[in-house]
Amino acid sequence: MMIQKRQNVKKARGASIVALGVLALVAFRTVQPSRAAGQGGQDGKSLFEKRCTGCHALDVDHEGPRLRRVFGRPSGMVKTFKYSEALQRAKVTWDEAELDKWLTDTESIVPDNDMGFRVPKREERAAIIAYLKSLSTTP
């Protein structure tokens, strides 16, 4: 009788440990910050840093204009940046759809612009756009 009770206690402990492990895994996955995943699970910030910072920064102009708060901003409106004539004339407000078109093929949205860069992978574009959108909202 005593041996059977010990075996039952061991089984219960084992089941509890497995349940706690599963619960911990679920909690870990739930608490992780949401990320718009790109290739290889990269988040938007990492992709932005990898793909965009050669010409852009968030808070200062470089070869391209600053991009913090670009989401919802009309094209060609950073006063400290010298845009191409095409972008100065463009009537584009940067939202998910317009940024996706822009990052797919800049010429398709504003012909004769000065940016000759593309992000061919949809997942990467979505992650970068989600990151830029997160920087354009006020807390």
Side-chain angles (χ1 to χ4, degrees):
M1 181 80 161
M2 191 69 154
I3 293 174
Q4 189 171 4
K5 280 187 177 181
R6 284 185 187 163
Q7 289 174 341
N8 288 343
V9 168
K10 285 183 181 180
K11 285 181 185 178
R13 275 192 200 143
S16 295
I17 291 171
V18 170
L20 284 172
V22 169
L23 182 61
L25 179 61
V26 169
F28 176 77
R29 301 276 300 173
T30 303
V31 172
Q32 289 297 307
S34 65
R35 304 189 311 180
Q39 178 185 10
Q42 292 178 320
D43 63 54
K45 181 180 181 187
S46 298
L47 286 164
F48 174 83
E49 290 169 354
K50 178 181 173 185
R51 303 293 305 268
C52 306
T53 58
C55 297
H56 292 277
L58 293 174
D59 298 309
V60 294
D61 301 331
H62 286 295
E63 187 173 332
R66 66 192 72 191
L67 293 178
R68 186 180 305 275
R69 302 204 191 290
V70 68
F71 202 88
R73 182 170 69 205
S75 61
M77 296 303 289
V78 173
K79 296 188 186 313
T80 57
F81 186 76
K82 175 69 174 140
Y83 289 94
S84 65
E85 288 182 28
L87 267 170
Q88 290 175 22
R89 289 189 310 268
K91 303 289 188 219
V92 176
T93 298
W94 300 117
D95 60 14
E96 284 109 338
E98 297 299 330
L99 285 167
D100 186 60
K101 286 187 235 174
W102 179 257
L103 292 174
T104 301
D105 179 11
T106 62
E107 289 292 314
S108 72
I109 190 167
V110 181
D112 300 321
N113 72 80
D114 291 339
M115 185 171 145
F117 177 80
R118 295 178 183 199
V119 179
K121 295 183 179 177
R122 182 188 57 77
E123 304 84 27
E124 290 184 357
R125 290 192 309 274
I128 291 167
I129 292 166
Y131 175 64
L132 292 172
K133 184 176 183 179
S134 76
L135 296 173
S136 297
T137 58
T138 52

